[in-house]
């Protein structure tokens, strides 16, 4: 049994009087690659923030292993792309706790180069972050999270706005990092492109509707309760494919 | 005597006067300080805060003068209270920073004005405070700005990465363990100290420009944050030095000449064809 890094118990979070999360129980253990799925407004990002400790719960608790280092990769839509930072400066700012020299030291630069090389960003350290492709930009923020020596990395919609090929690259990279021992928790809207490829999924709509492998939770009943709309699940090449019910019915009619 | 020598003598003449030597030191340091601190202000999209804070502090100055307490202490406490109130409102309520600045600083300014209108003012000359006055610069002002500059440098040196991380991406910085509330609070304290220490030479109505223009010009010239900080400091310092000299020779208030000098930097950078993508305030993204 892997060590439990983060444990949320009966977690309830409200913005104003409305509960965004209600009685959520969730465990993140060492080596997990966990996807949180759900419709817009289901509390996915709030759950990430609560697990990170940046949102205080109304009730319940989040316990983190003492000394656990975490990293967060934000949604790219929230990044100020006009901010004057190069790739190296962006990654380097992450090691900010305690006293640090303002400049990136030689040993830190070597570490940054090693990380950027590992993520396929070698040679781009001096580029402005705006002058990169969508996939490269996503990897810069992943590199920044890795540079904190994080044991757990949280990614908020890591494939949002990316094309299919770049999405596959990011997914492949996350799989590799997880195999190397990194614990990863991500939120995603993308059931077929991302969630279906993850070993463990949590279906969230204010509360946890289902949790388990794709085969266990990508089923019509759980999906309908999560998304509030009927959905069908097809088998294709040994994988589950989720289809909106109206589209499915249209296909049936045309066939 | 050659024309060049006459010009040099004419240029050096004001340096014979102690008030001018004090003024040039304060103006140069004020420009550098405003340039560096202004870089954080501009990148946080809080350009309006310099304008608002200086007005709020003016109110505090007037009230402190009336009550007969130390002007710097009174104005400083007033400005700090306004800055921290803005920070608290922005953090705790869904109100934009521009709206919070508008409400808090104008209210603080108006309160000071009401007190002055009712009871009169024993404070310094209002014109000098509004537009800056080289004659008003004392040795105490020199030491004050040297002290604030040293504190600013120490704060930026010791907290460089935390400041950068909080300015660029406050939510992630907080999530990864940076005390963003403390960093924001200290930056507001530094901003208040900057406004107070530069008020005599720049004037409250023009401090905002000294905070914003050098930083914007520097942003236009580089895509690197440390280079932007250095460039903004240098542009601010040169503007202060040149502007103060112009103030003496043209016999006008020092604030406008310093701001106009930095505006020349902006015009040159703009006209030199700095790529559109680097201009501040333009939304970017390779998506």
């Amino acid at each position: 049994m892997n060590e439990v890094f983060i444990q949320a118990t009966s977690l309830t979070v409200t913005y104003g009087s409305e509960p965004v999360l209600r009685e959520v129980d969730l465990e993140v253990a060492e080596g997990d690659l966990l996807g949180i799925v759900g419709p817009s407004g289901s509390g996915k990002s709030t759950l990430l923030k609560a697990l990170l400790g940046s949102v205080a719960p109304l009730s319940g608790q989040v316990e983190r292993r003492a000394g656990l280092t975490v990293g967060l990769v934000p949604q790219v839509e929230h990044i100020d792309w006009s901010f004057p930072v190069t790739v190296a400066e962006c990654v380097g700012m992450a090691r900010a706790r305690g006293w640090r020299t303002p400049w990136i030291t030689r040993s830190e630069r070597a570490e940054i180069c090693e990380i950027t090389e590992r993520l396929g960003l070698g040679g781009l350290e001096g580029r402005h972050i705006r002058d990169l492709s969508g996939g490269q930009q996503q990897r810069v923020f992943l590199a920044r999270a890795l540079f904190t020596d994080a044991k757990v990395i949280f990614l908020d919609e890591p494939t949002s706005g990316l094309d299919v090929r770049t999405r596959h690259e990011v997914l492949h990279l996350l799989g590799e990092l997880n195999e190397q021992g990194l614990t990863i928790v991500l939120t995603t809207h993308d059931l077929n492109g991302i969630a279906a490829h993850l070993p463990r999924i949590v279906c969230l709509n204010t509360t946890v509707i289902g949790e388990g492998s794709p085969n266990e939770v990508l089923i019509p009943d759980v999906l309908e309760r999560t998304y509030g709309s009927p959905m069908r699940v097809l088998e294709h090449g040994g994988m589950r494919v989720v289809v909106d019910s109206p589209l499915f019915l249209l296909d049936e009619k045309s066939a | 005597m050659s024309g060049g020598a006459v010009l040099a003598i004419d240029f050096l003449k004001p340096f014979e006067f102690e008030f001018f030597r004090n003024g040039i030191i304060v103006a140069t340091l004020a420009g550098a300080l405003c340039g560096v601190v202004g870089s954080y202000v501009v990148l946080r999209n809080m350009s309006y805060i310099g304008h608002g804070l200086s007005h709020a502090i003016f109110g505090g100055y007037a009230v402190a003068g009336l009550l007969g307490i130390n002007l710097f202490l009174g104005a400083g406490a007033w400005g700090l209270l306004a800055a921290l109130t803005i920070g608290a409102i922005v953090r705790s309520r869904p109100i934009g920073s521009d709206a919070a600045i508008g409400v808090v600083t104008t209210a603080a300014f108006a309160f000071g004005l009401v007190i002055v209108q009712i009871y009169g003012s024993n404070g310094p000359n209002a014109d000098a405070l509004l537009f800056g006055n080289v004659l008003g610069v004392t040795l105490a002002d020199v030491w004050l700005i040297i002290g604030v500059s040293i504190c600013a440098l120490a704060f930026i040196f010791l907290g460089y990465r935390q400041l950068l991380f909080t300015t660029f991406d406050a939510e992630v910085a907080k999530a990864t363990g940076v005390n963003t509330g403390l960093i924001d609070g200290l930056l507001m304290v530094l901003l208040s100290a900057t406004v107070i220490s530069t008020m005599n030479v720049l004037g409250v109505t023009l401090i905002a420009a000294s905070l914003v223009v050098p930083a914007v010009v520097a942003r236009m010239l580089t895509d690197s944050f440390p280079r932007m900080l250095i460039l903004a400091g240098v542009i601010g310092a040169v503007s202060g030095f040149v502007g103060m000299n112009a103030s003496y020779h043209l016999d006008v208030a020092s604030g406008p000449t310093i701001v106009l000098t930095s505006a020349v930097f902006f015009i040159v950078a703009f006209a030199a064809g700095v790529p559109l993508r680097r201009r501040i305030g333009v939304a970017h993204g390779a998506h």
Side-chain angles (χ1 to χ4, degrees):
Chain A
M1 180 89 183
N2 289 339
E3 184 185 3
V4 174
F5 279 163
I6 303 172
Q7 175 93 51
T9 311
S10 299
L11 188 67
T12 298
V13 177
T14 56
Y15 289 150
S17 58
E18 284 297 304
V20 184
L21 294 175
R22 186 164 37 82
E23 296 288 322
V24 170
D25 294 314
L26 186 66
E27 188 178 284
V28 178
E30 184 179 12
D32 272 354
L33 174 48
L34 169 67
I36 302 168
V37 301
S40 297
S42 59
K44 300 190 294 294
S45 296
T46 304
L47 179 55
L48 277 198
K49 288 176 189 171
L51 295 175
L52 281 160
S54 52
V55 165
L58 178 72
S59 62
Q61 59 178 351
V62 176
E63 286 178 276
R64 277 179 296 276
R65 197 198 68 178
L68 183 70
T69 48
V70 296
L72 171 63
V73 179
Q75 290 187 36
V76 287
E77 284 86 353
H78 295 171
I79 303 295
D80 175 5
W81 296 105
S82 68
F83 198 95
V85 279
T86 62
V87 170
E89 288 164 5
C90 184
V91 176
M93 75 172 70
R95 212 167 272 178
R97 285 190 301 172
W99 188 80
R100 303 277 178 184
T101 56
W103 57 90
I104 296 167
T105 63
R106 189 177 293 181
S107 63
E108 285 177 329
R109 188 164 290 280
E111 272 185 76
I112 289 171
C113 287
E114 189 190 316
I115 293 171
T116 50
E117 197 72 43
R118 190 170 149 203
L119 300 190
L121 297 167
L124 299 175
E125 292 83 3
R127 285 256 195 108
H128 187 271
I129 53 167
R130 178 197 51 233
D131 298 331
L132 302 171
S133 70
Q136 288 170 334
Q137 288 173 338
Q138 189 62 258
R139 278 179 273 159
V140 168
F141 290 97
L142 196 52
R144 187 177 70 175
L146 290 174
F147 190 59
T148 60
D149 294 323
K151 295 282 181 223
V152 186
I153 287 189
F154 295 86
L155 300 99
D156 199 1
E157 299 283 355
T159 56
S160 169
L162 298 183
D163 59 43
V164 175
R165 187 180 157 203
T166 311
R167 198 175 63 201
H168 287 167
E169 281 176 17
V170 170
L171 187 63
H172 184 68
L173 180 62
L174 293 177
E176 274 185 6
L177 291 170
N178 181 245
E179 278 173 19
Q180 290 162 16
L182 187 69
T183 303
I184 296 172
V185 181
L186 61 89
T187 65
T188 183
H189 272 102
D190 191 348
L191 288 173
N192 296 318
I194 299 294
H197 300 271
L198 301 175
R200 187 172 152 225
I201 306 171
V202 170
C203 289
L204 185 77
N205 193 346
T206 309
T207 191
V208 174
I209 309 290
E211 183 182 350
S213 69
N215 283 344
E216 290 168 325
V217 296
L218 293 185
I219 54 177
D221 174 50
V222 172
L223 291 170
E224 184 171 348
R225 283 193 289 134
T226 304
Y227 288 89
S229 168
M231 287 176 153
R232 304 295 284 263
V233 180
L234 308 175
E235 288 281 343
H236 178 71
M239 285 193 59
R240 298 201 156 220
V241 181
V242 179
V243 184
D244 287 350
S245 215
L247 184 63
F248 184 81
L249 291 174
L250 278 175
D251 286 346
E252 271 189 344
K253 277 184 185 173
S254 62
Chain B
M1 194 178 286
S2 71
V6 171
L7 267 178
I9 290 169
D10 195 35
F11 173 75
L12 292 172
K13 194 178 173 194
F15 286 87
E16 293 171 4
F17 308 114
E18 189 186 352
F19 79 88
F20 187 80
R21 289 197 299 273
N22 287 342
I24 207 92
I25 292 169
V26 171
T28 307
L29 282 176
L33 182 62
C34 285
V36 172
V37 174
S39 295
Y40 292 99
V41 170
V42 166
L43 291 174
R44 285 165 175 247
N45 295 319
M46 293 177 82
S47 300
Y48 184 45
I49 198 168
H51 187 73
L53 207 52
S54 56
H55 281 71
I57 285 172
F58 176 67
Y61 225 88
V63 174
L66 175 71
L67 298 177
I69 57 174
N70 183 288
L71 294 176
F72 287 120
L73 268 180
W78 195 274
L80 186 59
L81 185 66
L84 294 178
T85 308
I86 291 163
I89 290 174
V90 170
R91 273 197 302 277
S92 61
R93 295 274 184 271
I95 296 173
S97 56
D98 55 345
I101 292 163
V103 171
V104 173
T105 59
T106 50
F109 181 50
F111 182 70
L113 286 180
V114 167
I115 296 291
V116 168
Q117 294 228 333
I118 295 173
Y119 298 105
S121 172
N122 300 322
N125 178 286
D127 277 355
L129 274 181
L130 288 171
F131 304 112
N133 180 12
V134 65
L135 292 169
V137 177
T138 64
L139 198 59
D141 292 320
V142 176
W143 286 113
L144 179 68
I145 196 147
I146 288 173
V148 173
S149 300
I150 290 170
C151 289
L153 278 180
F155 175 49
I156 291 169
F157 186 84
L158 294 172
Y160 177 84
R161 293 197 202 185
Q162 298 187 14
L163 263 168
L164 173 59
F165 205 173
T166 306
T167 302
F168 178 51
D169 200 344
E171 189 177 352
V172 177
K174 186 179 177 188
T176 47
V178 175
N179 189 340
T180 53
L182 178 67
I183 293 291
D184 286 342
L186 289 174
L187 187 63
M188 285 297 149
V189 171
L190 178 60
L191 184 59
S192 300
T194 300
V195 171
I196 290 162
S197 63
T198 58
M199 198 151 60
N200 265 0
V201 71
L202 292 170
V204 293
T205 53
L206 295 163
I207 287 172
S210 292
L211 283 167
V212 172
V213 180
V216 169
V217 175
R219 177 65 195 94
M220 292 165 82
L221 297 174
T222 182
D223 267 343
S224 160
F225 181 72
R227 273 186 232 132
M228 178 180 167
L229 270 188
I230 293 166
L231 273 172
V234 170
I235 291 166
V238 172
S239 299
F241 184 85
V242 173
M244 182 56 96
N245 276 288
S247 162
Y248 176 85
H249 292 288
L250 298 173
D251 194 21
V252 292
S254 49
T257 52
I258 291 169
V259 170
L260 282 175
T261 308
S262 62
V264 170
F265 277 106
F266 178 83
I267 292 164
V268 170
F270 193 85
V274 173
L276 184 67
R277 65 186 177 84
R278 284 186 182 169
R279 283 179 202 152
I280 199 76
V282 177
H284 298 292
H287 305 288

